[in-house]
Amino acid sequence: MNDIEKARAILRANDRGGYTVPTDRLYPFQWNWDSAFVAMGWGTFDEDAAWREVESLFAGQWDDGMIPHIVFHAPADSYFPGPEVWGTRHRVPTSGITQPPVLATAVRRLWEKGNDRARADAKTASAYPKLLANHRWWRRARDPQGSGLVAILHPWESGMDNSPAWDDAMSRVPTDTVTPIVRRDTGHVDPSHRPRQIDYQRFIHIVDVLRACGWAPASMWAKAPLKIADIATCSILARAESDLAVLAARFGTPAEAAEIGERARAMRAALSACWRPGLGLFASVDLIAERPIDVPTSAGFMPLYADAATPAQAAALGATLDRWAKMVRVLVPSTPPDWPGFEARRYWRGPVWAVVNWMIADGFARAGDAPRADRILADTAKAIAQSGHSENFDPLEGSGGGGGTFSWTAAIDLLLRDRVA
Protein backbone atom coordinates (compact mmCIF):
# COMPACT_ATOMS: atom_id res chain seq x y z
CA MET A 1 0.00 0.00 0.00
CA ASN A 2 1.50 3.35 -1.01
CA ASP A 3 1.42 6.44 1.20
CA ILE A 4 -1.66 8.01 -0.38
CA GLU A 5 -3.58 4.75 -0.03
CA LYS A 6 -2.59 4.57 3.64
CA ALA A 7 -4.20 7.96 4.24
CA ARG A 8 -7.32 7.01 2.31
CA ALA A 9 -7.52 3.71 4.21
CA ILE A 10 -7.59 5.57 7.53
CA LEU A 11 -10.61 7.60 6.46
CA ARG A 12 -12.33 4.46 5.23
CA ALA A 13 -11.55 2.61 8.47
CA ASN A 14 -12.85 5.49 10.58
CA ASP A 15 -16.01 5.95 8.50
CA ARG A 16 -19.10 5.00 10.48
CA GLY A 17 -21.59 5.14 7.66
CA GLY A 18 -21.79 8.80 6.74
CA TYR A 19 -19.59 10.37 9.38
CA THR A 20 -15.95 9.83 10.28
CA VAL A 21 -14.71 9.42 13.84
CA PRO A 22 -11.36 11.07 14.63
CA THR A 23 -9.93 7.70 15.66
CA ASP A 24 -11.30 4.46 17.01
CA ARG A 25 -12.18 4.17 20.73
CA LEU A 26 -10.54 7.43 21.91
CA TYR A 27 -13.01 9.60 19.96
CA PRO A 28 -15.96 7.42 18.88
CA PHE A 29 -18.33 10.19 17.72
CA GLN A 30 -18.37 13.03 15.17
CA TRP A 31 -16.42 16.17 16.08
CA ASN A 32 -17.19 19.53 14.49
CA TRP A 33 -13.89 20.93 13.25
CA ASP A 34 -12.41 17.46 12.72
CA SER A 35 -15.18 16.72 10.25
CA ALA A 36 -14.61 19.91 8.29
CA PHE A 37 -10.99 18.94 7.65
CA VAL A 38 -11.97 15.33 7.04
CA ALA A 39 -14.56 16.41 4.47
CA MET A 40 -11.83 18.24 2.56
CA GLY A 41 -9.68 15.10 2.75
CA TRP A 42 -12.51 12.92 1.45
CA GLY A 43 -13.02 15.48 -1.30
CA THR A 44 -9.64 14.62 -2.83
CA PHE A 45 -10.87 11.16 -3.83
CA ASP A 46 -14.52 10.55 -2.84
CA GLU A 47 -16.81 13.53 -3.24
CA ASP A 48 -19.92 11.62 -2.16
CA ALA A 49 -18.26 10.76 1.15
CA ALA A 50 -17.19 14.38 1.56
CA TRP A 51 -20.74 15.68 1.22
CA ARG A 52 -22.08 12.94 3.51
CA GLU A 53 -19.60 14.12 6.15
CA VAL A 54 -20.92 17.67 5.88
CA GLU A 55 -24.54 16.59 5.95
CA SER A 56 -23.99 14.35 8.98
CA LEU A 57 -22.55 17.29 10.87
CA PHE A 58 -25.53 19.45 9.92
CA ALA A 59 -27.79 16.75 11.39
CA GLY A 60 -26.61 17.96 14.79
CA GLN A 61 -27.21 21.67 14.12
CA TRP A 62 -29.53 23.32 16.64
CA ASP A 63 -32.53 25.37 15.63
CA ASP A 64 -30.74 28.56 16.73
CA GLY A 65 -27.90 27.85 14.28
CA MET A 66 -25.26 26.45 16.62
CA ILE A 67 -23.29 23.46 15.36
CA PRO A 68 -22.21 21.49 18.46
CA HIS A 69 -18.71 20.27 18.98
CA ILE A 70 -19.84 16.62 19.24
CA VAL A 71 -22.71 14.81 17.54
CA PHE A 72 -23.50 11.49 19.24
CA HIS A 73 -24.87 9.59 16.25
CA ALA A 74 -24.55 6.17 17.91
CA PRO A 75 -23.91 4.93 21.47
CA ALA A 76 -20.37 4.24 22.66
CA ASP A 77 -18.97 3.70 26.15
CA SER A 78 -15.34 4.56 25.42
CA TYR A 79 -15.62 8.35 25.81
CA PHE A 80 -16.36 10.75 28.67
CA PRO A 81 -18.38 12.97 28.88
CA GLY A 82 -21.12 11.29 26.87
CA PRO A 83 -24.59 12.58 25.99
CA GLU A 84 -26.00 11.86 29.44
CA VAL A 85 -23.57 14.40 30.94
CA TRP A 86 -24.46 17.13 28.45
CA GLY A 87 -28.20 16.72 28.91
CA THR A 88 -29.14 18.61 25.77
CA ARG A 89 -32.58 18.17 24.21
CA HIS A 90 -31.75 18.32 20.54
CA ARG A 91 -33.41 15.80 18.21
CA VAL A 92 -29.99 14.15 17.80
CA PRO A 93 -27.90 13.81 20.99
CA THR A 94 -25.15 16.44 21.00
CA SER A 95 -22.89 18.36 23.31
CA GLY A 96 -24.00 21.84 24.34
CA ILE A 97 -20.97 23.82 23.15
CA THR A 98 -19.33 24.40 19.78
CA GLN A 99 -15.89 24.35 18.10
CA PRO A 100 -13.92 26.47 15.61
CA PRO A 101 -16.15 26.98 12.52
CA VAL A 102 -14.05 25.57 9.68
CA LEU A 103 -17.11 24.24 7.85
CA ALA A 104 -17.81 27.14 5.48
CA THR A 105 -14.20 26.99 4.32
CA ALA A 106 -14.57 23.26 3.71
CA VAL A 107 -17.83 23.67 1.80
CA ARG A 108 -16.34 26.36 -0.42
CA ARG A 109 -13.42 24.06 -1.25
CA LEU A 110 -15.73 21.13 -2.02
CA TRP A 111 -17.87 23.37 -4.22
CA GLU A 112 -14.99 24.85 -6.18
CA LYS A 113 -13.15 21.56 -6.66
CA GLY A 114 -16.17 19.37 -7.34
CA ASN A 115 -15.94 17.34 -10.54
CA ASP A 116 -19.72 17.03 -10.87
CA ARG A 117 -20.82 20.67 -11.12
CA ALA A 118 -24.54 19.98 -10.81
CA ARG A 119 -24.02 17.94 -7.65
CA ALA A 120 -21.62 20.47 -6.16
CA ASP A 121 -24.07 23.30 -6.82
CA ALA A 122 -27.00 21.39 -5.33
CA LYS A 123 -25.09 20.32 -2.22
CA THR A 124 -23.70 23.82 -1.66
CA ALA A 125 -27.10 25.42 -2.19
CA SER A 126 -28.44 23.17 0.58
CA ALA A 127 -25.50 23.89 2.90
CA TYR A 128 -25.42 27.67 2.43
CA PRO A 129 -28.44 28.68 4.59
CA LYS A 130 -27.25 26.39 7.37
CA LEU A 131 -23.81 27.96 7.31
CA LEU A 132 -25.36 31.42 7.31
CA ALA A 133 -27.45 30.51 10.36
CA ASN A 134 -24.36 29.23 12.12
CA HIS A 135 -22.32 32.37 11.47
CA ARG A 136 -25.22 34.52 12.62
CA TRP A 137 -25.34 32.43 15.81
CA TRP A 138 -21.67 33.14 16.47
CA ARG A 139 -22.23 36.89 16.24
CA ARG A 140 -25.47 36.85 18.24
CA ALA A 141 -24.47 34.39 20.98
CA ARG A 142 -20.74 35.01 21.31
CA ASP A 143 -20.30 38.69 20.49
CA PRO A 144 -23.44 40.26 21.90
CA GLN A 145 -21.66 43.60 22.41
CA GLY A 146 -20.46 43.81 18.80
CA SER A 147 -16.73 43.95 19.51
CA GLY A 148 -15.82 42.05 16.35
CA LEU A 149 -14.29 39.22 18.41
CA VAL A 150 -16.30 36.14 19.37
CA ALA A 151 -15.78 34.34 22.67
CA ILE A 152 -15.35 30.76 23.74
CA LEU A 153 -16.97 29.77 27.03
CA HIS A 154 -15.11 26.47 27.46
CA PRO A 155 -11.54 25.49 26.47
CA TRP A 156 -12.98 22.62 24.43
CA GLU A 157 -14.61 25.19 22.16
CA SER A 158 -11.18 26.35 21.07
CA GLY A 159 -10.17 22.82 20.09
CA MET A 160 -6.94 23.55 21.98
CA ASP A 161 -8.21 22.20 25.27
CA ASN A 162 -5.27 22.57 27.67
CA SER A 163 -3.32 25.32 25.94
CA PRO A 164 -1.04 27.27 28.30
CA ALA A 165 -2.91 30.35 27.07
CA TRP A 166 -5.84 29.26 29.24
CA ASP A 167 -3.83 28.55 32.41
CA ASP A 168 -4.46 31.84 34.20
CA ALA A 169 -8.15 32.02 33.36
CA MET A 170 -8.65 28.34 34.21
CA SER A 171 -6.92 28.78 37.56
CA ARG A 172 -9.94 30.90 38.59
CA VAL A 173 -12.39 28.10 37.71
CA PRO A 174 -13.38 25.95 40.71
CA THR A 175 -12.41 22.28 40.69
CA ASP A 176 -15.57 20.92 42.32
CA THR A 177 -18.08 19.16 40.05
CA VAL A 178 -21.66 17.97 40.20
CA THR A 179 -20.87 15.35 37.55
CA PRO A 180 -18.67 12.42 38.61
CA ILE A 181 -15.55 12.34 36.45
CA VAL A 182 -14.93 8.97 34.83
CA ARG A 183 -12.13 9.52 32.35
CA ARG A 184 -11.83 7.11 29.43
CA ASP A 185 -9.09 8.87 27.45
CA THR A 186 -6.18 7.73 29.62
CA GLY A 187 -7.19 4.12 29.04
CA HIS A 188 -6.61 4.53 25.31
CA VAL A 189 -3.42 6.62 25.13
CA ASP A 190 -0.45 7.45 27.33
CA PRO A 191 -1.71 9.68 30.19
CA SER A 192 1.38 11.87 29.80
CA HIS A 193 0.01 12.90 26.40
CA ARG A 194 -3.36 14.01 27.81
CA PRO A 195 -4.65 16.92 29.94
CA ARG A 196 -4.17 16.47 33.67
CA GLN A 197 -6.87 15.45 36.13
CA ILE A 198 -7.17 18.97 37.53
CA ASP A 199 -7.83 20.21 34.00
CA TYR A 200 -10.73 17.77 33.73
CA GLN A 201 -12.13 18.89 37.06
CA ARG A 202 -12.29 22.44 35.72
CA PHE A 203 -13.54 21.33 32.30
CA ILE A 204 -16.44 19.49 33.91
CA HIS A 205 -17.16 22.30 36.39
CA ILE A 206 -17.78 24.59 33.41
CA VAL A 207 -20.01 21.95 31.78
CA ASP A 208 -22.01 21.78 35.01
CA VAL A 209 -22.46 25.57 35.06
CA LEU A 210 -23.51 25.79 31.42
CA ARG A 211 -25.86 22.82 31.68
CA ALA A 212 -27.56 24.51 34.63
CA CYS A 213 -28.23 27.42 32.24
CA GLY A 214 -30.29 25.07 30.09
CA TRP A 215 -27.81 25.78 27.28
CA ALA A 216 -29.52 29.15 26.73
CA PRO A 217 -26.95 31.46 25.09
CA ALA A 218 -27.78 34.63 27.07
CA SER A 219 -27.67 32.80 30.39
CA MET A 220 -24.44 31.03 29.42
CA TRP A 221 -22.86 34.36 28.50
CA ALA A 222 -23.85 35.85 31.84
CA LYS A 223 -22.77 32.95 34.04
CA ALA A 224 -19.80 31.32 32.31
CA PRO A 225 -16.74 31.27 34.61
CA LEU A 226 -14.48 31.47 31.56
CA LYS A 227 -14.90 33.86 28.63
CA ILE A 228 -12.05 34.30 26.16
CA ALA A 229 -11.80 35.92 22.74
CA ASP A 230 -9.66 33.11 21.34
CA ILE A 231 -7.40 34.38 18.59
CA ALA A 232 -7.54 31.06 16.68
CA THR A 233 -11.32 30.68 16.80
CA CYS A 234 -11.78 34.32 15.78
CA SER A 235 -9.33 33.90 12.89
CA ILE A 236 -11.02 30.72 11.70
CA LEU A 237 -14.42 32.43 11.79
CA ALA A 238 -13.12 35.52 9.99
CA ARG A 239 -11.70 33.32 7.23
CA ALA A 240 -14.94 31.31 7.14
CA GLU A 241 -16.92 34.54 6.77
CA SER A 242 -14.86 35.46 3.72
CA ASP A 243 -15.47 32.01 2.26
CA LEU A 244 -19.18 32.25 3.06
CA ALA A 245 -19.29 35.61 1.27
CA VAL A 246 -18.10 33.84 -1.90
CA LEU A 247 -20.89 31.30 -1.50
CA ALA A 248 -23.41 34.09 -0.83
CA ALA A 249 -22.57 35.69 -4.17
CA ARG A 250 -23.76 32.50 -5.89
CA PHE A 251 -26.34 31.03 -3.51
CA GLY A 252 -27.52 33.93 -1.35
CA THR A 253 -28.86 37.44 -1.77
CA PRO A 254 -27.00 40.75 -2.17
CA ALA A 255 -28.15 41.74 1.31
CA GLU A 256 -26.71 38.54 2.79
CA ALA A 257 -23.45 39.00 0.92
CA ALA A 258 -23.17 42.55 2.28
CA GLU A 259 -23.98 41.38 5.81
CA ILE A 260 -21.33 38.65 5.69
CA GLY A 261 -18.73 40.94 4.17
CA GLU A 262 -19.27 43.52 6.88
CA ARG A 263 -18.83 40.92 9.61
CA ALA A 264 -15.61 39.71 7.98
CA ARG A 265 -14.22 43.25 7.77
CA ALA A 266 -15.08 43.96 11.40
CA MET A 267 -13.41 40.74 12.52
CA ARG A 268 -10.22 41.44 10.57
CA ALA A 269 -9.97 44.91 12.10
CA ALA A 270 -10.54 43.54 15.60
CA LEU A 271 -8.00 40.78 15.05
CA SER A 272 -5.33 43.18 13.84
CA ALA A 273 -5.74 45.11 17.08
CA CYS A 274 -4.81 41.94 19.03
CA TRP A 275 -1.18 42.27 17.93
CA ARG A 276 1.36 42.01 20.80
CA PRO A 277 4.75 43.41 19.71
CA GLY A 278 6.51 41.96 22.75
CA LEU A 279 5.45 38.45 21.76
CA GLY A 280 5.87 38.87 18.03
CA LEU A 281 2.46 37.21 17.86
CA PHE A 282 -1.24 37.93 18.13
CA ALA A 283 -2.87 37.16 21.48
CA SER A 284 -6.24 36.09 22.81
CA VAL A 285 -8.12 38.29 25.27
CA ASP A 286 -9.42 37.26 28.69
CA LEU A 287 -12.80 38.99 28.64
CA ILE A 288 -13.44 38.46 32.35
CA ALA A 289 -10.06 39.80 33.50
CA GLU A 290 -10.19 42.36 30.65
CA ARG A 291 -6.60 41.86 29.52
CA PRO A 292 -4.63 40.26 26.70
CA ILE A 293 -3.21 36.79 27.28
CA ASP A 294 0.50 37.23 26.67
CA VAL A 295 1.36 33.57 26.18
CA PRO A 296 3.11 32.44 22.98
CA THR A 297 1.20 29.65 21.20
CA SER A 298 0.76 28.56 17.61
CA ALA A 299 -2.66 30.23 17.68
CA GLY A 300 -0.82 33.55 17.60
CA PHE A 301 0.01 33.01 13.90
CA MET A 302 -3.59 32.37 12.91
CA PRO A 303 -4.68 35.91 11.89
CA LEU A 304 -2.52 35.36 8.79
CA TYR A 305 -5.05 32.69 7.78
CA ALA A 306 -7.79 35.32 8.05
CA ASP A 307 -5.89 37.98 6.04
CA ALA A 308 -5.97 40.09 9.21
CA ALA A 309 -2.24 40.81 9.61
CA THR A 310 -0.63 43.95 8.24
CA PRO A 311 2.55 43.51 6.16
CA ALA A 312 4.63 44.60 9.17
CA GLN A 313 2.83 42.13 11.43
CA ALA A 314 3.30 39.35 8.86
CA ALA A 315 7.03 40.09 8.71
CA ALA A 316 7.27 39.98 12.50
CA LEU A 317 5.39 36.66 12.55
CA GLY A 318 7.93 35.33 10.09
CA ALA A 319 10.74 36.35 12.42
CA THR A 320 8.99 34.63 15.32
CA LEU A 321 8.60 31.46 13.28
CA ASP A 322 12.30 31.55 12.39
CA ARG A 323 13.21 31.85 16.07
CA TRP A 324 10.98 28.90 16.97
CA ALA A 325 12.46 26.87 14.11
CA LYS A 326 15.89 27.03 15.76
CA MET A 327 14.49 25.24 18.82
CA VAL A 328 12.61 22.36 17.19
CA ARG A 329 12.96 19.61 14.64
CA VAL A 330 9.37 20.00 13.43
CA LEU A 331 7.39 23.24 13.10
CA VAL A 332 4.97 24.52 14.40
CA PRO A 333 4.96 23.62 18.11
CA SER A 334 1.75 24.54 19.90
CA THR A 335 3.99 26.26 22.48
CA PRO A 336 7.69 27.05 21.94
CA PRO A 337 10.26 25.12 24.00
CA ASP A 338 11.56 28.26 25.73
CA TRP A 339 8.16 28.91 27.35
CA PRO A 340 7.93 27.64 30.96
CA GLY A 341 4.66 25.82 30.24
CA PHE A 342 6.09 23.83 27.31
CA GLU A 343 5.62 20.04 27.35
CA ALA A 344 6.72 18.31 24.18
CA ARG A 345 4.15 15.49 24.36
CA ARG A 346 1.22 16.80 26.38
CA TYR A 347 -1.64 17.58 24.03
CA TRP A 348 -1.77 21.36 23.29
CA ARG A 349 1.19 22.30 25.49
CA GLY A 350 3.88 21.61 22.89
CA PRO A 351 3.02 19.05 20.20
CA VAL A 352 2.68 19.87 16.51
CA TRP A 353 -0.78 19.46 14.93
CA ALA A 354 -1.11 18.89 11.19
CA VAL A 355 -4.37 20.84 10.88
CA VAL A 356 -2.93 23.91 12.60
CA ASN A 357 0.17 23.69 10.42
CA TRP A 358 -2.04 23.58 7.33
CA MET A 359 -3.84 26.78 8.36
CA ILE A 360 -0.70 28.63 9.41
CA ALA A 361 1.04 27.66 6.18
CA ASP A 362 -1.97 28.83 4.22
CA GLY A 363 -1.73 32.14 6.08
CA PHE A 364 1.93 32.65 5.24
CA ALA A 365 1.21 31.79 1.60
CA ARG A 366 -1.65 34.31 1.50
CA ALA A 367 0.75 36.91 2.92
CA GLY A 368 3.15 36.23 0.04
CA ASP A 369 5.66 34.29 2.15
CA ALA A 370 5.92 31.05 0.18
CA PRO A 371 9.26 29.90 1.69
CA ARG A 372 7.90 29.80 5.24
CA ALA A 373 4.65 28.22 4.08
CA ASP A 374 6.61 25.54 2.26
CA ARG A 375 8.84 24.92 5.30
CA ILE A 376 5.81 24.31 7.54
CA LEU A 377 4.20 21.95 5.04
CA ALA A 378 7.47 20.11 4.46
CA ASP A 379 7.88 19.62 8.21
CA THR A 380 4.33 18.31 8.41
CA ALA A 381 4.94 15.82 5.61
CA LYS A 382 8.23 14.77 7.21
CA ALA A 383 6.57 14.07 10.57
CA ILE A 384 3.83 12.02 8.92
CA ALA A 385 6.39 10.06 6.90
CA GLN A 386 8.38 9.35 10.04
CA SER A 387 5.60 8.60 12.51
CA GLY A 388 2.45 7.89 10.53
CA HIS A 389 -0.91 9.61 10.84
CA SER A 390 -0.70 10.30 14.56
CA GLU A 391 -2.94 12.74 16.41
CA ASN A 392 0.03 15.05 16.96
CA PHE A 393 3.83 15.07 16.88
CA ASP A 394 6.65 15.80 19.33
CA PRO A 395 8.29 18.97 17.94
CA LEU A 396 11.71 17.99 19.28
CA GLU A 397 11.83 14.44 17.92
CA GLY A 398 9.07 14.16 15.31
CA SER A 399 7.62 11.10 17.03
CA GLY A 400 3.87 10.62 17.07
CA GLY A 401 1.69 11.25 20.11
CA GLY A 402 -1.90 10.85 21.24
CA GLY A 403 -4.19 8.64 19.19
CA GLY A 404 -3.03 6.75 16.12
CA THR A 405 -4.55 6.40 12.63
CA PHE A 406 -6.05 9.86 13.08
CA SER A 407 -8.56 11.05 10.52
CA TRP A 408 -7.70 14.73 10.33
CA THR A 409 -3.98 13.98 10.02
CA ALA A 410 -4.77 11.62 7.16
CA ALA A 411 -6.95 14.33 5.62
CA ILE A 412 -4.14 16.88 5.80
CA ASP A 413 -1.76 14.36 4.24
CA LEU A 414 -4.20 14.03 1.34
CA LEU A 415 -4.54 17.82 1.05
CA LEU A 416 -0.75 18.17 0.97
CA ARG A 417 -0.55 15.66 -1.85
CA ASP A 418 -3.48 17.31 -3.65
CA ARG A 419 -1.62 20.62 -3.44
CA VAL A 420 1.37 19.35 -5.40
CA ALA A 421 -0.48 16.96 -7.75
Side-chain angles (χ1 to χ4, degrees):
M1 185 183 293
N2 63 33
D3 290 339
I4 195 166
E5 278 302 320
K6 289 178 183 177
R8 291 175 176 177
I10 287 172
L11 296 190
R12 293 189 183 106
N14 288 337
D15 179 18
R16 295 296 181 267
Y19 68 95
T20 309
V21 300
T23 193
D24 191 38
R25 300 290 294 168
L26 179 61
Y27 299 113
F29 307 110
Q30 185 177 28
W31 263 258
N32 183 335
W33 72 326
D34 290 69
S35 277
F37 291 109
V38 166
M40 289 188 277
W42 278 118
T44 64
F45 70 103
D46 188 337
E47 292 177 37
D48 285 335
W51 287 113
R52 286 195 299 271
E53 189 75 32
V54 171
E55 290 161 355
S56 292
L57 190 56
F58 279 135
Q61 185 171 26
W62 289 21
D63 292 340
D64 67 0
M66 186 187 79
I67 301 177
H69 94 297
I70 307 174
V71 184
F72 300 105
H73 291 288
D77 61 3
S78 61
Y79 176 82
F80 172 86
E84 69 286 348
V85 172
W86 294 98
T88 60
R89 294 180 175 83
H90 186 61
R91 54 189 169 272
V92 176
T94 72
S95 65
I97 59 176
T98 191
Q99 260 188 336
V102 185
L103 195 57
T105 300
V107 169
R108 177 185 174 183
R109 181 184 179 93
L110 294 177
W111 174 57
E112 291 181 339
K113 289 185 170 290
N115 291 315
D116 183 334
R117 295 313 313 159
R119 175 180 55 186
D121 283 352
K123 295 293 188 181
T124 307
S126 176
Y128 168 75
K130 300 168 188 175
L131 294 168
L132 178 60
N134 180 241
H135 287 208
R136 285 172 169 170
W137 174 88
W138 272 103
R139 179 62 63 219
R140 183 175 64 251
R142 297 306 179 82
D143 184 21
Q145 297 168 333
S147 71
L149 299 175
V150 296
I152 60 166
L153 306 184
H154 194 297
W156 287 339
E157 293 197 309
S158 73
M160 303 180 183
D161 307 7
N162 64 329
S163 169
W166 319 144
D167 285 357
D168 185 58
M170 284 293 281
S171 72
R172 304 192 301 267
V173 175
T175 57
D176 60 297
T177 67
V178 174
T179 302
I181 297 173
V182 186
R183 292 184 67 175
R184 309 291 189 190
D185 57 321
T186 52
H188 304 303
V189 300
D190 186 334
S192 69
H193 295 186
R194 298 292 299 167
R196 294 184 171 86
Q197 183 66 14
I198 195 169
D199 296 324
Y200 262 80
Q201 290 172 241
R202 290 177 168 133
F203 293 158
I204 299 303
H205 179 93
I206 299 174
V207 171
D208 288 341
V209 170
L210 301 182
R211 186 182 60 237
C213 295
W215 306 110
S219 180
M220 291 167 65
W221 183 265
K223 296 181 180 179
L226 178 134
K227 194 181 302 179
I228 291 171
D230 168 34
I231 201 72
T233 299
C234 291
S235 297
I236 289 168
L237 179 56
R239 169 63 178 274
E241 292 279 31
S242 295
D243 291 325
L244 187 63
V246 173
L247 301 183
R250 172 65 175 80
F251 301 100
T253 68
E256 289 167 352
E259 168 199 333
I260 296 163
E262 179 53 38
R263 284 200 305 264
R265 285 188 291 275
M267 290 203 78
R268 288 194 296 268
L271 281 165
S272 187
C274 291
W275 177 247
R276 304 297 288 169
L279 285 181
L281 292 165
F282 291 85
S284 301
V285 181
D286 185 331
L287 298 177
I288 292 177
E290 298 183 336
R291 61 173 177 259
I293 300 173
D294 284 333
V295 176
T297 71
S298 57
F301 294 98
M302 288 291 292
L304 283 171
Y305 175 73
D307 296 319
T310 67
Q313 290 166 346
L317 288 169
T320 298
L321 187 78
D322 292 348
R323 185 174 65 81
W324 288 20
K326 295 175 182 178
M327 296 184 276
V328 298
R329 180 178 177 183
V330 180
L331 286 169
V332 178
S334 42
T335 307
D338 62 352
W339 183 255
F342 172 80
E343 295 181 73
R345 294 177 178 268
R346 193 180 296 280
Y347 218 42
W348 290 94
R349 303 186 72 84
V352 173
W353 296 77
V355 293
V356 176
N357 275 13
W358 186 79
M359 291 186 287
I360 294 173
D362 182 84
F364 274 111
R366 293 168 77 88
D369 192 342
R372 290 189 175 94
D374 290 344
R375 165 68 194 276
I376 293 167
L377 296 178
D379 278 16
T380 308
K382 178 176 65 178
I384 292 171
Q386 173 185 324
S387 301
H389 299 93
S390 298
E391 182 174 9
N392 53 55
F393 302 93
D394 182 325
L396 304 180
E397 300 177 0
S399 54
T405 59
F406 219 81
S407 294
W408 72 4
T409 309
I412 294 301
D413 193 10
L414 293 168
L415 290 173
L416 294 179
R417 296 173 190 280
D418 191 54
R419 176 176 179 265
V420 298

